[in-house]
Amino acid sequence: GEGKIMDCFTENGFINYYGMQRFGTSEVPTHHIGLALLKEDYDTAIKLILAPRDNQFRQLRTVLEKYAKEGDANAALASLPNRFKFSIEGKLLYGLSTNHSNDKINALGRIPIFTRQMYGHAYQSYIWNSTVSARLQRFGNCVLKGDLVFDHSS
């Protein structure tokens, strides 16, 4: 039971991974958007955020499908039902429609800062998980120099 699990942790340690919720639940993982933003590839970030997804409300998906084909943010925003105007997609379409077509940074700035930060944090978490996985493959779960361990003898 519980004692065996704690004994396993005591003996082998605990590898801390970020959970899947950090990476989003849609067809476009949030860490892909984070990578595009970190690379300053704003066109790709916008395309990923506005990508139509099977799990979206039909009305929103229809607008995003039209935007993906035509690239007209004004028309997409005008056809977006009011209930989606304050969604991430709605805010980005508003930013695209009110800024110069080359001003992707200010268009993305319409998305709340905590959401934009979440994209970057998702990519950081992805790098962490990838690094931990590579370390486990290479060294197993043995303690290495630089690991944080609790010395039970002191």
Side-chain angles (χ1 to χ4, degrees), residues 67 71-78 89-111:
Y67 174 76
D72 186 342
N74 289 314
L77 187 63
E89 297 87 353
K91 289 178 185 222
L92 182 52
L93 286 170
Y94 178 78
L96 290 168
S97 67
T98 58
N99 288 287
H100 187 276
S101 62
N102 290 332
D103 191 0
K104 308 298 186 198
I105 293 173
N106 279 320
L108 284 159
R110 293 296 181 163
I111 297 173

Side-chain angles (χ1 to χ4, degrees), residues 46 50-52 58-98:
I46 289 167
L50 295 179
R58 182 184 49 78
Q59 294 168 309
L60 177 58
R61 187 175 61 245
T62 300
V63 169
L64 295 179
E65 287 169 347
K66 185 175 181 181
Y67 174 76
K69 287 180 190 163
E70 300 172 6
D72 186 342
N74 289 314
L77 187 63
S79 64
L80 190 66
N82 282 337
R83 71 184 200 142
F84 299 114
K85 298 274 189 201
F86 294 101
S87 67
I88 301 301
E89 297 87 353
K91 289 178 185 222
L92 182 52
L93 286 170
Y94 178 78
L96 290 168
S97 67
T98 58

